[in-house]
Amino acid sequence: MTVRKQEAGPLPREGFALATTLLIILVLGIIALGAAWLATTEHKTVHAESVHLRALTAADAGSEAAINFIRLVDDPPTITNFADRTVRQQGTTAIEGNNTYDYGMSFARKRRRPGWGVEYLDYDYAVNARGQASVQGQSGVQIVASRLFREGY
């Protein structure tokens, strides 16, 4: 039996560089797609947060308008609807662009204020303010506002 000795020569590497290059391009493409997806997701989140913040600011403006109404009246506001004790219902008010608010105010209770005479009473009002920014953003604020009135003079 004869044994042939094979000479050591270069290994066949034809196409190795092409396969490596394609693999690197594929990995870089996947990284680019992930970065683009992350950027669009972040943009959507920031936009949604901005809309919510504008709606909350609009609702806060509605509660401030109700407080201002209570602060400026000379006598306790009269109840207009005895079923739910509504004192005032403010319709939609535009603030800026498409930001709006509205509020409803109802009488909660009246009570004596300690240290004052019997004719001085604290009137409490429950305020429900709603704010809207664009079509999607809606928010609400609920507060209780009090004002000291003197009765019987």
Side-chain angles (χ1 to χ4, degrees), residues 88-106:
R88 182 172 173 90
Q89 196 69 34
Q90 175 69 35
T92 302
T93 304
I95 301 173
E96 173 189 17
N98 56 3
N99 295 354
T100 60
Y101 72 81
D102 61 273
Y103 68 86
M105 185 169 36
S106 60

Side-chain angles (χ1 to χ4, degrees), residues 3-82:
V3 177
R4 286 184 161 180
K5 191 175 185 183
Q6 190 176 15
E7 292 184 24
L11 293 175
R13 294 187 166 189
E14 295 174 8
F16 179 74
L18 178 63
T20 305
T21 304
L22 288 176
L23 185 62
I24 290 173
I25 289 174
L26 177 68
V27 168
L28 290 176
I30 290 172
I31 290 172
L33 281 175
W37 176 79
L38 185 63
T40 58
T41 303
E42 186 68 22
H43 177 72
K44 290 176 184 176
T45 303
V46 167
H47 177 70
E49 182 66 25
S50 171
V51 168
H52 172 70
L53 186 60
R54 287 195 326 252
L56 184 61
T57 304
D60 186 49
S63 66
E64 291 293 328
I67 290 170
N68 195 39
F69 170 75
I70 294 170
R71 187 176 64 83
L72 293 177
V73 295
D74 293 327
D75 296 322
T78 57
I79 297 174
T80 57
N81 182 353
F82 284 95

